[in-house]
Amino acid sequence: MRLTVLGASGTYPRPGGATNGFLVREGGTSLVLELGNGCLSNLLREARLTEIDAVVITHMHIDHFGDLYPLFYALRFHPDRPWGQRLLLPGDGLGIMGRILGEDSREYLERVFAPEVLEAGRDYGVGDITLRAFPTRHPVEGYALRLEGPGWRVAYSSDSSPCPGVEEAARGTDLFICEATLPAAYEEEASHGHMTSRQAGATAATAGARKLMLTHIWPTFDVLDIVREAGETYRGEIVPAREGMTVSLEGGWHVQA
Ligand SMILES: [Zn+2]
Ligand SMILES: [Zn+2]
């Protein structure tokens, strides 16, 4: 399993960065997890459009799905017409996307993409990877995910305040990718659907996750401060997500900057 960070910023990008996105590869399977603003460009450094088995969007906030628009046009006008791209997303995700498209483009959404509804407690198979969705605590419908492949388990919090769904997703995982939008001093602000550094660490500790990757840190905050604060509640190894970083779980834990 190789996981490449396509976008690591929360809500809006750092200079030269992108908002949320990850590419997960296992054997011949390629899964894109979130496709925020700026992610498609980074994705195309790693994979061809026609190699993507599925794209998964955890909730319909623009920093998690913004680059579905350029993906839509890249597929629609691709010379080989690789339409029917599998796309897992909550509720009426395509309907939400369609609101800002013209009538002529909107009608292609369900041809270019093959949408599937993401629901809590359901398992989804994507090639060699199995996904399970867990409910988050966020202003819109959203799902934390647990991904499983041969010999590994990875969880992703999506955007959420601490809650049983995220904890359950992360339970006993080899790697837990958790949002840590805000520093510890911002607990009140975080209570509206995000986590602080310390809450991310505490969730990872309670869930017994073996490694912790922090992501969705607001660009106005210092990443190293967030990592240090998360270390007050979590004793394992913590790594901040960075665009272009690759994590491999083959034969142990390897991070390549
Ligand atoms: Zn977000
Ligand atoms: Zn959100």
Side-chain angles (χ1 to χ4, degrees):
M1 193 283 286
R2 275 169 64 85
L3 180 142
T4 303
V5 179
L6 306 175
S9 293
T11 313
Y12 55 97
R14 288 174 189 275
T19 63
N20 316 279
F22 304 89
L23 170 65
V24 183
R25 294 186 125 162
E26 170 60 57
T29 303
S30 297
L31 184 152
V32 173
L33 175 55
E34 313 279 50
L35 204 61
N37 322 71
C39 283
L40 183 62
S41 173
N42 292 338
L43 173 63
L44 293 175
R45 279 202 249 249
E46 305 288 332
R48 289 192 301 277
L49 281 177
T50 49
E51 289 179 313
I52 306 304
D53 295 289
V55 179
V56 186
I57 304 294
T58 64
H59 68 292
M60 296 307 288
H61 274 163
I62 198 81
D63 58 322
H64 296 254
F65 79 89
D67 267 15
L68 279 183
Y69 289 103
L71 175 63
F72 165 65
Y73 288 112
L75 293 169
R76 182 179 165 194
F77 298 120
H78 192 288
D80 300 336
R81 286 201 171 193
W83 295 4
Q85 170 68 61
R86 197 169 169 203
L87 174 62
L88 282 63
L89 73 184
D92 186 29
L94 275 197
I96 291 169
M97 269 192 81
R99 286 182 203 159
I100 66 162
L101 294 178
E103 193 66 48
D104 56 328
S105 284
R106 196 179 306 139
E107 67 180 276
Y108 282 92
L109 269 180
E110 291 217 23
R111 296 164 68 187
V112 169
F113 293 123
E116 291 173 47
V117 176
L118 204 55
E119 288 173 337
R122 255 182 76 182
D123 288 329
Y124 302 83
V126 178
D128 296 330
I129 301 172
T130 305
L131 276 123
R132 177 168 273 237
F134 300 81
T136 53
R137 189 173 294 161
H138 199 54
V140 299
E141 178 188 356
Y143 300 98
L145 297 173
R146 183 163 63 214
L147 281 63
E148 293 193 48
W152 58 266
R153 276 188 286 180
V154 170
Y156 168 58
S157 65
S158 179
D159 286 2
S160 183
S161 290
C163 69
V166 173
E167 201 179 297
E168 188 54 32
R171 191 165 310 286
T173 46
D174 300 287
L175 172 67
F176 176 34
I177 305 165
C178 190
E179 75 125 290
T181 305
L182 295 153
Y186 288 73
E187 204 159 306
E188 165 56 28
E189 288 83 349
S191 68
H192 303 293
H194 288 292
M195 284 194 221
T196 67
S197 48
R198 270 194 211 132
Q199 289 172 329
T203 302
T206 307
R210 281 186 271 287
K211 307 281 179 193
L212 175 60
M213 179 187 282
L214 297 178
T215 193
H216 203 277
I217 297 167
W218 271 357
T220 40
F221 298 120
D222 188 294
V223 169
L224 294 180
D225 283 346
I226 299 265
V227 169
R228 183 179 46 76
E229 289 177 352
E232 293 166 11
T233 48
Y234 177 73
R235 298 284 166 236
E237 188 179 344
I238 304 174
V239 62
R242 228 181 14 254
E243 287 83 0
M245 167 193 278
T246 293
V247 173
S248 164
L249 288 171
E250 281 150 29
W253 161 265
H254 307 284
V255 179
Q256 271 181 300

